[in-house]
Amino acid sequence: MNREAAELARTTRHFHVLLSPTPRGARLARLLATEQLRSWGLPLDPARQIVAELSANAAAHGRVPGRDFRLGLHATAHVLRIEVTDTCPDRLPAPQCPEATSESGRGLLLVEALAHRWGVAEGPYPRKTVWAELSLTAPERDSPCFGGPGA
């Protein structure tokens, strides 16, 4: 491992911002996350889609008047962790099975499909954090998850 790669492996990068729990705040979360990921040299997708879904949920379902939601990004050499914290702890998110004609209700299904892991951390009161993690390391060439030719 060269010196630069060794230094990157020890580095943890963080980004946090408070945003209004509105559709405009959710959109701003996605835009700010995109620019932060770009500045770190990390892949934009599927991270920005996850940020969009979690932020939209915070604005729609975790909204408490006068209280912002917080977007956090944490990156190591191996994992990007996305966290969205709101102040509505009594409404824990769970993936739904919406009707085929429904125009909403699929956000957590998308997060579940795109993230390597996701979950909810409660507290401290009155907060909850919905988080998702993405692996930043490429799968081994011999791994069944490797998307080589013909995959």
Side-chain angles (χ1 to χ4, degrees), residues 5 14 18 22 34 67 69 71 93 102 123 128 140 148:
H14 304 280
L18 289 174
T22 62
T34 298
R67 296 185 182 167
F69 76 90
L71 168 66
S102 177
K128 75 171 176 295
E140 298 290 325

Side-chain angles (χ1 to χ4, degrees), residues 50-127:
I50 291 171
V51 168
E53 296 301 338
L54 295 182
S55 298
N57 282 352
H61 307 294
R63 181 183 174 124
V64 175
R67 296 185 182 167
D68 294 336
F69 76 90
R70 181 174 123 169
L71 168 66
L73 303 174
H74 309 277
T76 66
H78 305 289
V79 175
L80 172 65
R81 183 176 175 105
I82 300 162
E83 297 178 342
V84 175
T85 303
D86 66 45
T87 56
C88 195
D90 55 332
R91 298 194 66 187
L92 297 178
Q96 305 293 315
C97 291
E99 304 232 356
T101 57
S102 177
E103 293 184 15
S104 63
R106 293 173 182 81
L108 287 177
L109 293 174
L110 286 171
V111 171
E112 195 169 67
L114 296 172
H116 293 101
R117 295 181 343 131
W118 79 277
V120 180
E122 296 182 60
Y125 190 81
R127 295 179 199 90

Side-chain angles (χ1 to χ4, degrees), residues 1-11 77:
M1 180 182 298
N2 67 27
R3 185 174 185 221
E4 190 174 302
E7 186 173 322
L8 179 61
R10 290 190 309 265
T11 303

Side-chain angles (χ1 to χ4, degrees), residues 13 15 32-42 44 73:
R13 294 163 284 181
F15 171 79
L32 291 171
T34 298
E35 289 309 309
Q36 189 61 54
L37 294 169
R38 186 174 284 129
S39 76
W40 287 343
L42 296 178
L44 303 180
L73 303 174

